Amino acid sequence: MSESDIKRPPVITEQPKGDVVRRNDPYTLNCAAQDAKSISWYHNGEPITDILRDPSSHRILLPSGSLFFLRVATTKKANDAGVYWCVAQNSAGSVRSDNATIEVAAIDDEFLETPRPAINVIAGQALTLPCRPPRGTPEPEVTWLKNGQAVLNDGRVYTTDSGELTFLVTKAEDSAAYACQASNAAGTKISAPAEVTVMDPPSFVIAPKNRTVTTGTTLSLPCQVSGFPTPKVDWLRLDGKIPLGRASVSSENTLQLTQVSASDSGMYACVAESEAGSIRAEVHVDVLALPFFNERPGDHVLEEGSSRALPCSMDGDPIPILMWRLPGEDPNDILLPGHQKGKLKVKEDGSLILEDAKLSQSGLYTCLGTNSGGGVSARSKILVVESFPPPIVGVGPQDQTISNGDHITLPCEPASEAAEASVSWWFRPAAHLPQHEIVEDLGRGVSLSVNHALTIRNTNRSNNGIYTCRVAASTGNAEATAVVRFEENPLPRNRLEKMLPAPPSKPRVRVINDTTVRLAWQPNSSQIGKKDPVTYMVEYWRHGWSEWRIAASYVDTEYVLISDLASNFTYTFLVRSVTGGGQSFPSPWSNPTRLEFLTSNVMSTRGRYQADRRFDKPTVALLRATASSSRSVLLTWQGLDEENQENGVLVYGLSYETPEDGSEKKPSSVRVATVLGSSSSSHLIRNLEPYTHYTFFLVPFWRNVEGAPTNSLSLMTPEDIPSAAPQSVVLSKRSSTEALVTWEEVDSDHVPGRLLGYAVVASCNGTVEDHNVTTHWLELKNLTPGCLLTARVAAMTSTGIGPFSAPSLLKLEDPPSFANEGPAVKQDTVTPPHHMWLLYVLIPLLVLIIVGLVLYFKGYVRCQKSPDRYSHSDKCRDHSICSSHCHVNMYGEHHKTWSAMDTPRLQPSACLLRHNHYVNDYAEPNNLMPSDGSQVEAYTTTALMAPTSPHHELPGPGQWTAFIPPPPSCPPPPIGQYSGSEGTTCSSSHSSSDSYHRGFQNRQPMRVESCSDAGPAYSSGSCGGYKRPCDEASEHTYEAYNNQRPSHEAYTETHNLVAGCPDSHRSVMHYSPTSSNASSQRGRNTNDNHHHPPFKPDLPESIPLRKSPVDDSFPTFSSLHAGPKSLHRSDQRL
């Protein structure tokens, strides 16, 4: 297009846009225009010279009109920052573009404000790091770096608009090097880093706790703390000195005290300090002295009938509880100090007295002691035997040959462990001669040594004879005999005496069964290494034997089995060593062993030894005893040694009683429970006494071996309500308005708690008053004169009130009358009790009844005045059996209809109410049928039936009976409808569509004839349900009625002919129980052009039958005769 053709100025099509440009960077300002011949640029109002005009210029004007900067300069000579615009020109004019501002980005090197190089903050505190960036264009954007990484904003750590880094709550992970970074188009500047150290204040990882330990053990008090920097931990004792020789602190700051004693009890404190703060934990250490025995009982063998005292005394801090566990499998066999069981009793010092010991009292007696620090036990094995073994001659005399002038010694060493024995010597010159006792006669050279040996010096012929060593003891006798022969010229012989062997050790007896035992012993050390072969001879004794007998001989081992023993006997054994030199002195007697039948639960000797070692140290610790109610306590314990798996524990509970003299409480009774299983760790003890002091401890057991008792815990069970009522409650009259109530105080045995007082309930003519008193009497004042006063009393504790006593009665006197003296004096009258709740119930009920009656009468009046009603006879007001589409029931509900009850229970022998009966004697129905053909709601009501009268007389008052049919199981289907002549749709009770049919299949509609000539039984006063002879010939069958619908005029005319029935639009059909085709009429529609024949005055009216709950067949109709014509309307009453 030529310039001459241009008729309008150019148009800017692309406006230049300003920006922030880095220095020395190339940049382009765009500008484009339509129909422009030339484009020029201006900078701050001055034309721009491009490189074409000035080679030194760094600006180039592009052919498109844009201005290109080779580099953006900010020197004094050339500063490209400023405002630019372009101008487009042609022959028609010029146009200017918008301004575009170019800013040259710049940033200073120095920050205006930065955080301190090192910052310490306690965890949980807030922290703010300031940052004011360097000056720059544009304004630099501030970000924060954490160890070189950008800090992300969250709810706890964020950067404010002013550039500060804020920590709402500092945490340990916030410790790092933080730097402030300022950035814009000119570059990025980073401040010097600030080291932030978040210090974690000291806190306990494992804090020390109060400890209770026993003497002699090692106490460990842990105190593990955490924090940054690492806290310093110190242990202090607040009430004494820490024993340096027995105290040490581990690397984990745990204080350990070895061999603690009672002096170590006190307060200890663990203190941890650091720059972030300090913490302190104080604990109390209670060192308990374990019970220890001052005197322990030992094992004893008692002869039947004898007595023995088993000592047992102990001490500890606190003082331990001592008791004796009697032998047997019943853990309840416990004796406390001061208690007795048969001939067994425990003295106050703890010793057990066995009087007149019996064989059955043999067993293991255990003395138990326990306190809060632990428990100990000592066992005493008691064996009661019939008798003790008799003595035995250990080394007896040997046969010898003597001559004149010889010296002989006859030894006699008795062995008697059961009783002290005496030794005597006897001499008999010959077997047929009598013997006499030898007495010491030094003149004749006869002497008796201390060891009972007989020595004779200067022997001669008179010393020839039989010598007997006789040993006597209370347990029996024993003797040994030697023959001494005299020879004049004896042959020379070797008089070297042989050494007797040494006796072995005491044999140990292990019962194999009830007839076999195993004996084991150790040889005498003096016999070890000698070349002479040694054998052993075993002797034994049992009750009934007068001497010891040989059980086994020539035994070359140190053990032997002795079998064929008698069961239920006690045996004692001894062993002799036998060599070529003779027999040794007997070994110590074995412990008496009674052979009895062993059950599977009885443990062997080795097993008992292992069990004793297992329970040699505590295996269970009782942790807590908590009262769960006034009669139950929950015990909790734990095992101390995982290797010891006991079969269970025995739970002992000791109850205390307060002596009458007010001295210290002592245990009065013991109860024991068995808890089986090593995994059990708790047990609930029930049936305890309320408000009673109890002490509990455990005894672990393994089979029939019981261990040492655990530590004990004591508590008081909570209170409970009194269990008995006060007795002898007496009401005494003080005056006509005052009375006094007295009673006996409740025995303390029936008050499980602290008796707070008594609750008294007094009633005077129904006016009840409650009183709480602390005395056992109460004055009642301001009573109503002449009232019947009753009073009941109950004791109460903090838990509640106990049972009340039987009521005590008192009749107060009436006030004196002053009728003859001046004006009458007004007397107070006794106001009967007011039951306000009756008013609250009766008043609303009365209001509802009144409202219901008002609604009922309004509905009745409105129904009578309704223009849509069919014409009614003035003589009929029987709304209970006459159906109308405009009926309104007492609830104001519309569109429901009546249904007659046609069930097997409803027979024609009783008529429904007629118009001349009281209509308010029966319930208003609630079953009006809707006119739109919807389903009818099922309804059950009470119909009053008239009693049968052969003369059809009206029943008198009170002769009505109630008939209550059963409710239907489901709602009835909708009843058919028809349209009235005036266009009003009304419910028709005789419609055949959607009606009931089940249960009426055997009923057939009967034709109705004129019944004017019928007998008395079929007159108008009879029940319509009877079949009359004239019905058979009637042309008005049910089918005809269904197929015909009379016009409104015909209906009205017919209605007026019917005496006493205002609702004559109902069906006049009857049914016969023998017919079965009634259901065939179901579903037929009425025919409007069929004329209904005229009705006679005494024809009965009929009502639709109600559906049977079990029958859905189409219903037929039951006729009810109209009332007597002679009745006037005035006889009808509501």
Side-chain angles (χ1 to χ4, degrees), residues 212-487:
T212 300
V213 295
T214 57
T215 56
T217 60
T218 299
L219 171 65
S220 295
L221 295 176
C223 184
Q224 296 184 17
V225 296
S226 63
F228 181 81
T230 303
K232 179 184 177 183
V233 178
D234 293 321
W235 275 98
L236 306 174
R237 181 170 179 180
L238 306 180
D239 55 357
K241 295 182 180 180
I242 297 179
L244 300 179
R246 296 183 289 109
S248 62
V249 178
S250 65
S251 58
E252 296 180 351
N253 304 317
T254 298
L255 175 63
Q256 289 186 344
L257 295 177
T258 60
Q259 295 296 318
V260 295
S261 61
S263 60
D264 295 326
S265 298
M267 293 295 298
Y268 294 79
C270 176
V271 180
E273 296 179 338
S274 69
E275 297 179 12
S278 64
I279 55 175
R280 180 189 184 98
E282 297 181 359
V283 295
H284 181 267
V285 175
D286 190 10
V287 180
L288 302 177
L290 276 173
F292 58 91
F293 286 102
N294 296 326
E295 188 175 6
R296 303 170 66 100
D299 297 339
H300 299 279
V301 178
L302 304 180
E303 188 176 7
E304 188 175 14
S306 63
S307 300
R308 171 72 67 170
L310 302 180
C312 182
S313 64
M314 62 182 64
D315 203 352
D317 183 20
I319 298 176
I321 302 172
L322 184 145
M323 68 192 72
W324 278 91
R325 167 79 159 84
L326 304 183
E329 296 183 356
D330 186 4
N332 290 284
D333 281 344
I334 296 292
L335 278 183
L336 297 170
H339 289 228
Q340 182 174 354
K341 181 180 180 181
K343 296 297 183 68
L344 298 174
K345 63 180 179 180
V346 180
K347 300 174 63 176
E348 293 296 335
D349 60 0
S351 59
L352 175 65
I353 307 299
L354 285 80
E355 296 181 349
D356 191 14
K358 304 296 182 183
L359 294 177
S360 59
Q361 294 178 332
S362 299
L364 195 64
Y365 292 78
T366 306
C367 180
L368 303 175
T370 178
N371 62 8
S372 55
V376 292
S377 63
R379 300 181 181 90
S380 174
K381 185 176 181 181
I382 301 299
L383 178 62
V384 181
V385 297
E386 299 89 342
S387 59
F388 290 119
I392 188 175
V393 178
V395 177
Q398 303 293 327
D399 294 343
Q400 296 187 29
T401 301
I402 60 173
S403 61
N404 290 322
D406 290 340
H407 297 272
I408 62 172
T409 298
L410 299 176
C412 183
E413 298 182 21
S416 179
E417 297 183 3
E420 186 177 357
S422 61
V423 177
S424 60
W425 282 93
W426 298 78
F427 173 72
R428 186 194 302 266
H432 61 284
L433 298 176
Q435 62 179 357
H436 62 274
E437 185 178 0
I438 301 175
V439 295
E440 186 175 21
D441 188 356
L442 298 179
R444 298 177 58 187
V446 177
S447 63
L448 296 174
S449 63
V450 179
N451 57 0
H452 309 294
L454 175 63
T455 302
I456 302 176
R457 295 178 175 87
N458 298 318
T459 60
N460 53 38
R461 184 177 293 274
S462 62
N463 298 125
N464 182 75
I466 302 172
Y467 292 82
T468 301
C469 170
R470 184 172 296 171
V471 179
S474 60
T475 57
N477 301 318
E479 60 182 27
T481 302
V483 178
V484 176
R485 294 182 177 88
F486 178 81
E487 295 181 358

Side-chain angles (χ1 to χ4, degrees), residues 2-310:
S2 63
E3 185 178 354
S4 60
D5 296 334
I6 297 176
K7 298 181 180 180
R8 60 178 182 176
V11 178
I12 303 296
T13 60
E14 183 178 4
Q15 298 286 350
K17 296 180 180 181
D19 201 353
V20 178
V21 184
R22 295 177 59 183
R23 188 176 57 180
N24 297 327
D25 284 354
Y27 186 72
T28 302
L29 280 174
N30 295 321
C31 182
Q34 183 180 1
D35 299 335
K37 179 180 180 181
S38 63
I39 295 177
S40 58
W41 283 89
Y42 291 86
H43 175 218
N44 294 332
E46 298 292 334
I48 295 177
T49 302
D50 61 355
I51 195 174
L52 296 178
R53 299 178 183 178
D54 185 3
S56 62
S57 175
H58 60 283
R59 305 183 182 98
I60 300 176
L61 183 61
L62 300 179
S64 61
S66 299
L67 180 63
F68 176 72
F69 295 86
L70 294 177
R71 64 183 185 282
V72 176
T74 57
T75 61
K76 294 181 180 181
K77 294 183 179 181
N79 189 355
D80 293 329
V83 179
Y84 292 83
W85 67 85
C86 65
V87 177
Q89 298 177 345
N90 61 12
S91 60
S94 62
V95 61
R96 176 179 169 174
S97 69
D98 296 339
N99 292 341
T101 302
I102 293 180
E103 295 179 344
V104 179
I107 188 171
D108 292 346
D109 294 332
E110 298 295 332
F111 281 81
L112 299 180
E113 185 180 7
T114 57
R116 300 191 309 271
I119 299 174
N120 294 332
V121 63
I122 298 176
Q125 295 181 350
L127 174 65
T128 299
L129 300 180
C131 178
R132 294 175 60 192
R135 294 185 178 90
T137 303
E139 184 72 22
E141 180 181 354
V142 175
T143 58
W144 282 89
L145 303 178
K146 176 183 178 181
N147 293 333
Q149 302 295 326
V151 176
L152 300 178
N153 291 342
D154 55 24
R156 186 179 63 88
V157 181
Y158 60 91
T159 302
T160 64
D161 295 338
S162 60
E164 297 175 338
L165 182 62
T166 300
F167 297 82
L168 294 180
V169 177
T170 55
K171 296 183 179 180
E173 59 265 23
D174 295 333
S175 297
Y178 291 86
C180 179
Q181 176 179 277
S183 303
N184 65 4
T188 300
K189 301 295 181 181
I190 300 176
S191 67
E195 288 290 338
V196 175
T197 301
V198 179
M199 297 184 299
D200 189 10
S203 62
F204 287 108
V205 178
I206 300 178
K209 298 180 180 179
N210 296 336
R211 292 290 305 276
T212 300
V213 295
T214 57
T215 56
T217 60
T218 299
L219 171 65
S220 295
L221 295 176
C223 184
Q224 296 184 17
V225 296
S226 63
F228 181 81
T230 303
K232 179 184 177 183
V233 178
D234 293 321
W235 275 98
L236 306 174
R237 181 170 179 180
L238 306 180
D239 55 357
K241 295 182 180 180
I242 297 179
L244 300 179
R246 296 183 289 109
S248 62
V249 178
S250 65
S251 58
E252 296 180 351
N253 304 317
T254 298
L255 175 63
Q256 289 186 344
L257 295 177
T258 60
Q259 295 296 318
V260 295
S261 61
S263 60
D264 295 326
S265 298
M267 293 295 298
Y268 294 79
C270 176
V271 180
E273 296 179 338
S274 69
E275 297 179 12
S278 64
I279 55 175
R280 180 189 184 98
E282 297 181 359
V283 295
H284 181 267
V285 175
D286 190 10
V287 180
L288 302 177
L290 276 173
F292 58 91
F293 286 102
N294 296 326
E295 188 175 6
R296 303 170 66 100
D299 297 339
H300 299 279
V301 178
L302 304 180
E303 188 176 7
E304 188 175 14
S306 63
S307 300
R308 171 72 67 170
L310 302 180

Side-chain angles (χ1 to χ4, degrees), residues 598-612 647 702-705:
L598 300 180
T599 62
S600 58
N601 192 40
V602 175
M603 195 176 304
S604 63
T605 304
R606 181 179 295 274
R608 179 175 292 277
Y609 173 74
Q610 293 176 352
D612 290 340
N647 293 143
W702 187 63
R703 296 180 66 177
N704 61 340
V705 177

